[in-house]
Amino acid sequence: MAKFNWRGIIAGLIVPVVVIAIWQAVCSAGFVSPLKLPSPFAVAHRWVEYLLPPEPYTAEAGSWLVWALSGELLHDAAGSMYRVVTGFLIGGGLALPLGVVMGASKRVYSHMYLLIQVLRPIPPSAYTPLAMLWFGLGNPPATFMISIAAFFPILINTITGVRQVDSIYLRAAQNLGASRGTLLLRVMLPAATPYILAGIRIAIGSAFMIVIVSELIAVPNGLGFRINEAREYSWTDKVMAGMFTIGFIGLALDVGMNKLNNYLLRWHRGLES
């Protein structure tokens, strides 16, 4: 059983603690207006208010668990995560097989290369007008933009991974009588897994950034929507509380993805202790 890395956690907390201390000192000294930069304690207080249920619990309200999960923050985070997961699955589900085929076939690669390279530099946020014209408001345009954000990192990394497979493995499999399909699924795809997982990790971050952009304009809930609402009322502490929530969720996703990478790549020599 792996030991918990307390030393690494403590080392990672040093800089954030110092930054928060300086931030609190600046706010306490009155160098900046609380409207422009609220103190860490004010942001933390607003975050707790954002998390807790809006009304006290009563037996008439029904289940205690339903009441405990009725906070605005939890609903917004759930809405954002739903869009991220849906868009990521669509974008990744399209990118992975296309990337494998493009990496394995020079003919398919030559046919698709120009189109991919024209579309890839376009920021997903630039699709906002088209998404709204095509899908209207609500989840569909947000899901469409997230799918684009997740599509290209996975596609490019998959193509690169498949094309980087050592030819020794391919020749060995062919000498053993492997068919084209077996070569693709049993040799190329496993050998390209480190690249694919790196692309997935990047795609998750990209998808989460775009969901905030899409929620600023297209949906009636979510963390991005709530941040924009707080801006309109000049609730700077709530804006920052929403921002930190995004950061914490992103950190949790990245840590989880890193652990998954380490588990799936146990055989990879780069992870040997």
Side-chain angles (χ1 to χ4, degrees):
M1 186 175 179
K3 295 181 179 180
F4 206 71
N5 187 10
W6 288 107
R7 182 176 296 179
I9 292 176
I10 293 172
L13 287 174
I14 292 175
V15 173
V17 168
V18 171
V19 170
I20 291 173
I22 295 173
W23 175 11
Q24 180 64 43
V26 169
C27 294
S28 299
F31 293 138
V32 292
S33 167
L35 186 62
K36 298 294 184 181
L37 182 65
S39 70
F41 290 114
V43 174
H45 179 72
R46 174 66 81 163
W47 189 87
V48 172
E49 287 184 345
Y50 189 18
L51 174 66
L52 294 178
E55 301 292 339
Y57 175 71
T58 58
E60 294 77 13
S63 169
W64 181 89
L65 181 61
V66 173
W67 169 82
L69 298 178
S70 64
E72 200 175 52
L73 173 60
L74 296 177
H75 285 188
D76 289 337
S80 295
M81 287 303 301
Y82 170 78
R83 298 178 189 104
V84 168
V85 171
T86 304
F88 176 81
L89 291 177
I90 294 173
L94 295 173
L96 185 59
L98 179 60
V100 171
V101 173
M102 287 183 65
S105 172
K106 292 183 179 180
R107 178 177 297 180
V108 175
Y109 182 85
S110 63
H111 288 319
M112 297 294 297
Y113 174 80
L114 183 61
L115 177 63
I116 295 299
Q117 292 305 320
V118 169
L119 295 177
R120 186 171 65 91
I122 301 175
S125 56
Y127 288 90
T128 301
L130 280 179
M132 296 180 69
L133 288 172
W134 289 347
F135 303 105
L137 301 177
N139 286 330
T143 302
F144 171 73
M145 294 168 62
I146 295 165
S147 300
I148 293 174
F151 178 82
F152 287 105
I154 297 176
L155 176 68
I156 299 303
N157 276 49
T158 302
I159 293 173
T160 303
V162 173
R163 291 171 70 89
Q164 291 293 325
V165 175
D166 198 321
S167 60
I168 294 177
Y169 300 147
L170 303 180
R171 289 197 297 268
Q174 288 171 340
N175 290 338
L176 292 172
S179 64
R180 182 71 175 175
T182 302
L183 198 66
L184 194 66
L185 296 176
R186 302 293 297 274
V187 180
M188 291 184 177
L189 193 57
T193 299
Y195 291 88
I196 295 172
L197 291 176
I200 290 174
R201 193 172 181 180
I202 296 170
I204 290 174
S206 300
F208 207 83
M209 287 188 287
I210 292 302
V211 72
I212 303 305
V213 175
S214 66
E215 288 174 348
L216 291 174
I217 53 174
V219 296
N221 55 40
L223 293 170
F225 170 82
R226 203 63 62 190
I227 289 173
N228 191 47
E229 178 188 61
R231 177 195 61 82
E232 293 176 355
Y233 289 98
S234 299
W235 295 336
T236 312
D237 50 0
K238 191 170 184 177
V239 170
M240 298 185 73
M243 292 170 59
F244 282 118
T245 301
I246 295 167
F248 291 139
I249 294 176
L251 175 62
L253 290 174
D254 189 70
V255 170
M257 192 62 204
N258 186 49
K259 290 186 177 297
L260 179 63
N261 283 1
N262 292 343
Y263 176 77
L264 294 178
L265 299 178
R266 299 187 306 278
W267 54 271
H268 195 264
R269 62 186 178 185
L271 294 178
E272 290 178 357
S273 57

